[in-house]
Amino acid sequence: MDLTRILFEDFAPAAIGLFYVLACAAVATFGYGVYVQVRKYGRGVPVAFSGELLARFKAMLGTVLTHRTIARRDRMAGGAHRLIFYGFLLLFLGTATITLDYDILGPLFGVHFWHGKFYLGFSLVLDVAGVLLTAGLIYMMYRRGWLRPPKLDYARPDRQPADPDYDRSAYRREDWAFLWTLVVIAATGYFLEAARLVWLADKPDIWDTRWWSPAGAVLAEGLRAAGMTNTGGAALRLELWWLHGLLALVFIALIPFTKVKHIFTAAGSLMLRDPLAAQRLPRVPEEEKRVGAQYITDFSWKQLLNLDACTKCGRCHEACPARATGAPLSPRDVILSLREFANKTLSSADLPPEVELDVHGKGPGQVAMETLWACRTCMACVEVCPVAIEHVPVIVQMRRKLVEEGQMDPQLKKTLQTIHKTGNSFGESKRKRAAWTKALPFPVRDARKEPVDVLWFVGDYASFDPRNQKVTQGFASLLHEAGVNYGILYEGESNAGNDVRRVGEEGLYETLAAANVKAMAGAAFKSIVTTDPHSFNTIRNEYPDFGGRYEIQHYTTLVLKLLQEGRVKLARKLGLRVTFHDPCHLGRFNKGYEAPRDILRLLGCELVEMGRCRANSFCCGAGGGRIWIPDPVGADKPAHNRMREAAAIPGLQVYVVSCPKDLTMFEDALKTTGNEGKFVVRELIELLREAIEQEQAAPTPGVVAA
Amino acid sequence: MKLLVAVKQVAALDEDFEIRADGRDVEADFLIRDVNEWDDYSLEEALKIKEAAASPVEVVAVSVGPEDADEALRKCLAKGADRAIRVWDEAIEGSDSIAIARVLAAVARKESPQMLFAGVQSSDHAFASTGVATAAFLDWPHAAVVANLTYTPGGDTAVFRRELEGGVLHEMQIECPAVLTIQLGINTPRYASLRSIKQAAAKPIEVLSLQDLGIAAPDVGESGSLSRVRRMYIPDKGRAEMIEGDVEEQAARLAQIIKDAIGGAA
Ligand code: SF4
Ligand code: SF4
């Protein structure tokens, strides 16, 4: 038995020639498209990458093959995409195998392997692959057409319906065209197979092995039952052959020009992923004259590639706290705007004049300053994006330009000037930074004067905000009682700069970072601890770029260790029903999910998680310098949104936070959302103090009961 | 065409401060330095004229003060001033606003600008006289507390508005060269990013001595001033007390306070 699939059998030589000409044209169009795209990316700023290419490739392959990122928080979409992906991949490999056999190994070496048992197995695999593909596609159609999840709604929060680039129906048409094209290619493939079987039904070696192509065989049975003859099969086969072939060629030719290119751009984007994209923002080179991104060409080629990788899946759009509260910002639309802008300006052979490259403004594809200032750099978008698009550095780089031009809220301007002048955002005298220590019954060491084990970097909010000072004092007592040899920098400490950097005031950030690195160089300590996740993030991830390499931990990990070692002793279990809010900079940014939860468990609290927790935690709205920018009057705020989520937990007693800014934001939101008296907002340290202290003076449940 | 902007590096008091041993000023360690707030507005006004001008306009910032005044000048350069001049000499120490005005007038003669802007006053000493005194030395027309200005570079006159009591506006015309003292709120001063300030560090600041300006040492400092500081001190704080309780208790407490006061005086 030497079975193989016929290819061009019964074709006139001219027809075969025509097919090859068309195939070459398709490949050439594909090649040209790739060239245009690569030329576009090449117009970005060059970037150097850390890490080995092979390791990056492996990581990308792992993500793609497992569909880890696509399946997150949307298992059905992940499953359907997996079907499409594997179906498509197998069919692609199948076609490549035929080409290898028929056009390469055969003519060149006279080697053919595409026959016999191999061929039969091959037929079966491809038939199954086609079924997978079609099933996936049909589910996606069902999802788009009937389920219509809100994240697939392309309505833009950053444009008005009258704006020229408000309309996104072209994207919708492309989505449907993509799905239909693939469905039709798959269907014509099956019918082609069936028609071929009908045509060759009198050849026993072919007909008898028809069940190796089960889908084709079923259809062939159907066609024969409907009265199709051998010659009818032959005619149908010829027509379908051309239809199927031409569709496939058109599909290939259009890959670089349509959303299909995400096959490549998403893979590239995943390969170039920076795991610290939001945690460690890019430096501005000393010699660089211009600061931040003003022109589309100020982005790196990797960022331009990122723009093309977006599949409009809407996950970032859904996760964004600014978008959720009606701000004119959607991370998806920032990316799509810039993509449209890049396509418009960077696709032709010559670069347009500089003025046409300016990405700031309200014109088509431009990004408005209201949009940029609405971002809280919470990283929810970066974290959830299945194709590793890094929105936060894009937004901050554009903000740098706005800061340079002074295009910002007057209040923010004032705060930045205050920080420059006094080293803190409260405009307080440097000497008052450690004023909170005066109320303590024990002295706090000055780490600049004597060596300590643990340097406590206190941070602005914990130092100056009266409500937070109580927490700060509580933590000092805890360290003191546990016998930790710790100290602080007193007036030597400056604002850590995390939020200043995320505002986009890079020069001020550099000054602050340098000042703190210098102050810490003048102190002898083994490691750093902080109660402030913002300071934690920048010292941990960004100070190394400024020569400051330290071992640093958030207080939750230190306290957990002290509890486990028995150095902090609990007098009683609290028995409270609590929920925990993951601070962006502790959770998403630095993966500190477990320690606070472990502590809550040790405190004897019943932890009820909110729907959005851990990596999907919902920003309090204070990040990215937004704590210094007044929210629009009357508008919903992220903290309000969050309070409503917490209030839905039956019997909730305490909303636990572990970040000074969270305490400020949520205590305020608790009142303004009318939830006061239902539950309370507490810093984890306060619960710890309650559990440590013997006397039961005003324990939290009392507050709740009141 | 040139505009001269006088700026001052002012001092603000830190939380707990100490008076200098000679009792005539605050110990320098306890001062936080910054650009005088009014001067931000006068610089902005000059920069606005420059940016709107069809022909080149040079904005020159000038400060009289020791080296730490460079910081104020650097901020001006960062925002867009073309040049910066600092005048200093040991002899200037102890000058009052009149002596400083004499120095500024000498700089103005040297630079011959179309207009000199000064802040209405400085936030630390608040004499509110340096600008107008400079005009007097120069014998130029002047106007104080300008809240709005219309000036086309190169023009012989400028039109401005001043705010008077009760919200009345005074619109006037002045011949150039002139001295205007600029009021807060006339514009929105721009932001000087830290990076632009750092880059301005590379720009030169011209340092002039009294000799360069042809001023004799006795004309500045205490000998060249019309006033001198005798002492600086913190007055005894007055006290206030909210008297609580019912009428009788309140009356009793009040009587006690009066008795104490009389007793203290006796
Ligand atoms: S960082 Fe947060 S606020 Fe900013 S765009 Fe992303 S999700 Fe929205
Ligand atoms: S940026 Fe990422 S998460 Fe957002 S829509 Fe595009 S692919 Fe989805």
Side-chain angles (χ1 to χ4, degrees), chain A residues 316 319-322 329-331 374-382 391-392 395:
Chain A
C316 60
C320 177
L329 161 68
S330 156
C375 174
R376 284 130 210 277
T377 65
C378 72
M379 197 191 143
C381 48
V382 177
H391 318 65
V392 172
I395 290 173

Side-chain angles (χ1 to χ4, degrees), chain A residues 278 315-324 329-332 334 371-372 374-384 391-393 395 399 584 588-589 619 621 623 626 638:
Chain A
R315 290 159 199 242
C316 60
H317 180 82
E318 190 175 49
C320 177
R323 203 270 322 153
L329 161 68
S330 156
R332 173 197 69 195
V334 169
T371 299
L372 295 171
C375 174
R376 284 130 210 277
T377 65
C378 72
M379 197 191 143
C381 48
V382 177
E383 197 273 340
V384 76
H391 318 65
V392 172
I395 290 173
R399 278 187 184 181
C584 305
R588 252 195 309 275
F589 277 66
C619 175
R626 282 299 312 210

